[in-house]
Amino acid sequence: PLHELLAPDEFVRQLTRRQTPVKAVLLDQKFAAGVGNWIADEVLYQAKLDPRKRASDLSETQAKHLRTVLKRVIEKSCAVNAEKERFPKTWLFHHRWGKNSNARTSKGERIEHMTCAGRTTAWVPAVQG
């Protein structure tokens, strides 16, 4: 994903012309090769974006921020060799699995699960609403 990541202006242009949910765009391997379900959820959590929001409805600022967060999450994942215990403790990653109805983030925020873009999606309405 790092080697194929679009330049900031091109990322914004291609992202915001899409009418689909932003999560679907992130999972589109033609748009963001190598981004899987958990990375998309993590990025959207950290970017504070509702996964159902249409990409075309993102402001330029939101789209640029999304790219920044995407790059940061991928870089960190590579830096720790994708060893889950080495991911930051504040990441959604540690709490998103299993559709646990009582799941909470490290800050105590409630995690909900839904289907978005045909995939199980973990998200935090209090942060991403």
Side-chain angles (χ1 to χ4, degrees), residues 61-127:
T61 299
Q62 288 174 314
K64 284 181 178 179
H65 182 62
L66 180 65
R67 185 192 180 277
T68 298
V69 173
L70 175 60
K71 186 174 189 285
R72 185 176 65 227
V73 167
I74 294 167
E75 286 175 337
K76 182 63 174 179
S77 298
C78 291
V80 301
N81 201 27
E83 294 177 24
K84 62 183 179 184
E85 61 277 350
R86 293 177 60 199
F87 289 147
K89 299 300 180 212
T90 57
W91 278 23
L92 179 68
F93 174 88
H94 296 288
H95 311 281
R96 70 177 298 281
W97 307 101
K99 297 183 183 179
N100 180 349
S101 61
N102 295 316
R104 304 259 177 208
T105 67
S106 64
K107 297 176 184 175
E109 303 145 333
R110 190 170 55 85
I111 299 169
E112 290 187 14
H113 294 85
M114 66 175 165
T115 300
C116 182
R119 301 293 304 271
T120 296
T121 300
W123 73 301
V124 181
V127 173

Side-chain angles (χ1 to χ4, degrees), residues 46-63:
Q46 290 187 29
K48 300 179 176 158
L49 291 172
D50 186 322
R52 302 167 297 184
K53 185 171 184 147
R54 285 190 311 189
S56 59
D57 290 340
L58 295 175
S59 69
E60 183 176 342
T61 299
Q62 288 174 314

Side-chain angles (χ1 to χ4, degrees), residues 5-20 22 25 30-31 54-67:
L5 188 59
L6 296 169
D9 289 341
E10 186 63 14
F11 183 93
V12 170
R13 189 182 73 72
Q14 286 194 30
L15 177 67
T16 57
R17 72 179 191 181
R18 306 280 294 269
Q19 298 292 316
T20 58
V22 67
V25 178
K30 292 177 185 169
F31 179 79
R54 285 190 311 189
S56 59
D57 290 340
L58 295 175
S59 69
E60 183 176 342
T61 299
Q62 288 174 314
K64 284 181 178 179
H65 182 62
L66 180 65
R67 185 192 180 277

